[in-house]
Amino acid sequence: MALTEHVVLRDLDVPNIANFDVYLANGGYEGLRLALQKTPAEVIDMVKAAGLRGRGGAGFPTGVKWGFLPKGLYPRYLTCNCDESEPGTFNNHQIIDRNPHQLIEGVAISAYAIECHTAYIYARGEFATAARTLEHAVKQAYARGFLGKNILGSGFDLDIYIHRGAGAYICGEETALLESLEGRIGQPRLKPPFPAVAGLYSKPTIINNVETLTNVPRIISKGVDWYRQFGTERSPGTKVFSLSGHVNRPGNYEAPFGITLRELIYGDDYGQGMRDDRPVKMIIPGGASAPWLTGEHLDVKLDYESLAAAGTMLGSGAVIVLNDTVKAPHLAYKMDEFFKHESCGKCTPCREGTHWLVSVLHRLAEEGLGRPEDIATLHDIYGQMAGNCFCLLGESAVTPIRSALRIFPHEFDEMIKEAETRVRAHKHANGQHAIKLEPVGR
Amino acid sequence: MLLETHAAEIETILAKYPQKRSAVLPLLYIAQDEYGHLTKDAIREVASILDLPYTDVFEIVGFYTLFYNRPMGRWVLQVCDDVPCCYLGAEEVISGLKRRLGIEEEQTTPDGMFTLQRVKCVAACNKAPVLQANLNYIYNLSDDKLDALLRDLRAQAESGQKLSISGRLAEDYDATPEGLRQIVRDLGSISQEVAAIKAQVASETAKTESEAPAAESDAEKSE
């Protein structure tokens, strides 16, 4: 059943909430007003009590993260991560497009909670339109005294700046984001020190995702109990699930944690079933880096714990559903091609590993020229990457190929057999020293 | 020189950061629009504004995909070929564009109008397949929409409308077959309004150039 009231996608409840006056008339900036009457510690306690968990992928409790800031060290920075770039993820753009002021308010409340006076929203370079929308929303907030000096007479000052990246998925990794914001190439930093201790300009820094921060105003204005009525005990609240692939109605659907994949894919309020009624073959439940599920997992619940129990993860809540026309080796190839393209080149296992994975997978799945030894080679390559990469990008690149080999090993065998048959026929027709066989189009 | 042509904008950008070098990405965007692409001189100019070693800025231009150190078309068409776009028609869109434009990927049409690129996920998978034209999203593409799209993009460029390959003027619009031409017309009238507002703002209130985007956005909303 669809939500009757949304926490994040409030544009579905209040038409035109992207308009500043409409936002203000519907409880906008009430959260900030209330927060400023509390101490920062009280605001953090509310967010902790609400059980808000980071929506960017790791699912770490937000209030706890805020608590990691070392006492007495200033200035501090808040950075909002809007570098959404992983295949299947697409909620930030919609949140900003349709409900931008709630994000700005969330940034303001969170900045107050962590006692910082400068916040940056790092939007990926391709979000040129979203960056302009945010610039506009921030200016409106300044004009009405919700940002700037002495906000609402509280004595609290805050500046929010929008910073546009320039095309690099790796900048979603929090330390690479900081590097990029400091004007360098986006390569991740060695941790520790963690950003909470030494982040932006070596100052204590908190990095939160767009969706996470957009939750905050409603937690403060409507209260912890109201927030906890949604979701499960350990995954409270709602999640904006980004549903894409071969479904009838792809889109962003905000739902309480704990709905099943079946409901999301087939429910009338959500995906409305598969295109042409074809069967579900693969489900990638948490963005490109999540281990795959199959059509057998439709009753798995979408919350952190249930997905972990099923051997995968909620990640960013991006659910890609693909039908039986997709070949597993090809999907692994496309996914790893993404990671290869986005590898920053800093560490060898990722830079070389993604390169070799893609070169073998390209020959096998795209050219139709697989060889029997390819399977062992693929296991060997990802085996050398797993656990050895500098950051999670390289680790994530292991997931697609490992999932494909684990769940659909026969598809690799079939492709290799087909290739052998072709090669034999080619040699038979053209002699042992025949010129190289032309690749087949997929 | 950027410091003369974009003085107010650069000043506003620099004021955002405690360290100058943070301004390198926004300044490169400005330089790219000003000079058409990031020439060696343009890169050196940005480096000297920010007191950075040239090599640092060359490295940055090489690292980020939205910086171009070679001449590009007036429209840079970037088609997503990632999952799930690739299973929902992206390859047909790419081959359709290649056929119509007579170019391969990473090439520019001889008239300098279009550059075609294959890119990774642009985070609009619910409206696949997707492309960005100068970072304007164009959604739900199919081969039969491409003629109209190219015609309208060309018309925009030929009407003398200012274009930004850095996406500094990006708008968001749907490429529905009947909606496209209408929207492109609207965009045309918006850009005229924007120009009028900009001139007014500049002459009457002598506001900084940085505030012009707000005026533009107002025009969009009222539209």
Side-chain angles (χ1 to χ4, degrees), chain B residues 142-163:
Chain B
S142 55
D143 192 75
D144 58 339
K145 293 178 189 169
L146 296 179
D147 283 326
L149 173 68
L150 293 176
R151 197 167 49 238
D152 288 329
L153 292 177
R154 189 181 291 277
Q156 280 187 61
E158 285 169 354
S159 73
Q161 188 182 325
K162 194 167 161 28
L163 303 177

Side-chain angles (χ1 to χ4, degrees), chain A residues 94-402:
Chain A
Q94 183 169 333
I95 291 170
I96 290 167
D97 208 34
R98 309 224 186 126
N99 191 10
H101 301 291
Q102 192 171 325
L103 170 62
I104 304 293
E105 185 184 353
V107 173
I109 296 170
S110 308
Y112 175 73
I114 65 167
E115 300 172 66
C116 100
H117 303 290
T118 310
Y120 294 97
I121 301 179
Y122 185 102
R124 67 179 293 192
E126 290 83 349
F127 280 172
T129 46
R132 278 156 55 91
T133 307
L134 284 174
E135 295 270 9
H136 184 62
V138 164
K139 279 207 179 79
Q140 289 179 314
Y142 270 105
R144 306 282 186 97
F146 296 114
L147 294 176
K149 297 272 176 230
N150 190 19
I151 294 170
L152 303 175
S154 65
F156 175 63
D157 305 337
L158 176 66
D159 288 311
I160 298 181
Y161 300 114
I162 316 301
H163 183 91
R164 228 180 102 208
Y169 164 70
I170 186 61
C171 294
E173 198 283 338
E174 56 181 16
T175 58
L177 185 152
L178 297 176
E179 285 288 296
S180 179
L181 191 45
E182 288 185 13
R184 296 186 177 83
I185 62 171
Q187 290 188 326
R189 297 174 180 172
L190 188 64
K191 293 186 272 192
F194 289 91
V197 177
L200 187 61
Y201 308 119
S202 302
K203 306 295 182 203
T205 302
I206 292 292
I207 299 135
N208 285 134
N209 170 271
V210 167
E211 189 187 342
T212 313
L213 291 172
T214 307
N215 271 275
V216 172
R218 304 284 279 169
I219 292 173
I220 306 299
S221 65
K222 305 279 273 189
V224 170
D225 290 338
W226 176 85
Y227 189 77
R228 277 193 167 268
Q229 68 173 307
F230 305 107
T232 67
E233 175 61 27
R234 293 185 62 200
S235 300
T238 61
K239 177 82 191 80
V240 179
F241 293 104
S242 302
L243 181 66
S244 66
H246 292 127
V247 291
N248 281 324
R249 205 174 61 140
N252 284 307
Y253 300 107
E254 183 172 346
F257 282 106
I259 71 159
T260 62
L261 279 165
R262 188 186 303 280
E263 203 175 344
L264 184 68
I265 297 169
Y266 289 97
D268 283 345
D269 296 320
Y270 307 111
Q272 297 183 351
M274 296 292 286
R275 282 192 183 190
D276 308 323
D277 288 323
R278 297 193 80 100
V280 172
K281 184 168 171 184
M282 303 97 165
I283 305 170
I284 311 174
S289 41
W292 304 353
L293 298 176
T294 66
E296 290 169 14
H297 295 98
L298 288 172
D299 294 312
V300 170
K301 289 181 174 166
L302 288 160
D303 58 62
Y304 294 103
E305 289 72 30
S306 305
L307 284 165
T312 179
M313 61 184 204
L314 183 87
S316 54
V319 181
I320 307 176
V321 186
L322 297 166
N323 67 23
D324 58 345
T325 60
V326 176
K327 292 264 187 283
H330 192 264
L331 179 58
Y333 158 64
K334 290 301 294 187
M335 285 300 197
D336 277 325
E337 195 192 36
F338 166 78
F339 288 113
K340 175 198 166 198
H341 186 267
E342 300 298 342
S343 174
C344 76
K346 178 166 181 149
C347 76
T348 314
C350 174
R351 185 187 62 238
E352 297 299 311
T354 53
H355 171 84
W356 285 108
L357 278 179
V358 168
S359 91
V360 174
L361 283 168
H362 183 266
R363 183 167 44 69
L364 188 149
E366 188 87 350
E367 300 186 339
L369 291 170
R371 302 168 191 157
E373 63 268 30
D374 284 346
I375 292 180
T377 309
L378 289 168
H379 280 292
D380 182 41
I381 299 168
Y382 81 68
Q384 293 187 59
M385 296 168 68
N388 294 329
C389 295
F390 191 86
C391 80
L392 280 177
L393 190 148
E395 301 296 328
S396 302
V398 169
T399 315
I401 181 60
R402 185 152 60 190

Side-chain angles (χ1 to χ4, degrees), chain B:
Chain B
M1 291 284 106
L2 298 174
L3 273 180
E4 287 142 31
T5 52
H6 295 74
E9 191 174 357
I10 291 174
E11 196 180 319
T12 314
I13 290 169
L14 288 174
K16 287 158 74 167
Y17 312 101
Q19 292 181 9
K20 260 171 136 179
R21 73 174 298 147
S22 284
V24 69
L25 303 188
L27 257 57
L28 284 170
Y29 277 136
I30 295 176
Q32 181 161 272
D33 274 345
E34 185 69 17
Y35 301 119
H37 69 279
L38 291 169
T39 59
K40 286 183 180 172
D41 285 344
I43 294 170
R44 290 198 187 97
E45 188 183 343
V46 169
S48 53
I49 293 172
L50 299 174
D51 297 324
L52 288 174
Y54 295 159
T55 47
D56 282 21
V57 186
F58 277 96
E59 181 187 42
I60 286 165
V61 172
F63 184 86
Y64 294 97
T65 57
L66 297 180
F67 293 135
Y68 314 116
N69 59 4
R70 61 205 177 279
M72 303 296 273
R74 296 189 64 195
W75 285 107
V76 179
L77 305 180
Q78 298 175 314
V79 190
C80 172
D81 78 341
D82 221 330
V83 180
C85 282
C86 68
Y87 296 124
L88 294 163
E91 292 301 329
E92 287 74 20
V93 170
I94 293 171
S95 54
L97 286 169
K98 282 201 232 176
R99 193 173 63 245
R100 285 172 176 83
L101 298 174
I103 54 173
E104 291 298 310
E105 292 143 30
E106 295 299 329
Q107 290 182 349
T108 300
T109 52
D111 61 357
M113 185 61 75
F114 297 106
T115 300
L116 179 62
Q117 290 189 317
R118 226 174 233 278
V119 295
K120 292 297 159 196
C121 190
V122 293
C125 321
N126 52 333
K127 298 169 185 175
V130 178
L131 71 74
Q132 288 194 312
N134 288 2
L135 306 180
N136 302 273
Y137 277 103
I138 300 170
Y139 302 120
N140 295 317
L141 284 164
S142 55
D143 192 75
D144 58 339
K145 293 178 189 169
L146 296 179
D147 283 326
L149 173 68
L150 293 176
R151 197 167 49 238
D152 288 329
L153 292 177
R154 189 181 291 277
Q156 280 187 61
E158 285 169 354
S159 73
Q161 188 182 325
K162 194 167 161 28
L163 303 177
S164 161
I165 56 170
S166 297
R168 288 158 69 233
L169 304 167
E171 313 281 345
D172 206 358
Y173 63 94
D174 258 304
T176 52
E178 71 284 359
L180 189 66
R181 263 175 294 279
Q182 179 61 39
I183 290 156
V184 171
R185 254 199 304 281
D186 289 349
L187 281 177
S189 66
I190 288 170
S191 57
Q192 282 163 18
E193 271 186 54
V194 169
I197 292 168
K198 268 186 180 165
Q200 203 181 343
V201 169
S203 66
E204 288 180 13
T205 64
K207 277 186 184 169
T208 56
E209 198 177 333
S210 69
E211 279 163 321
E216 285 176 37
S217 298
D218 281 328
E220 288 157 35
K221 305 285 168 197
S222 67
E223 198 73 22

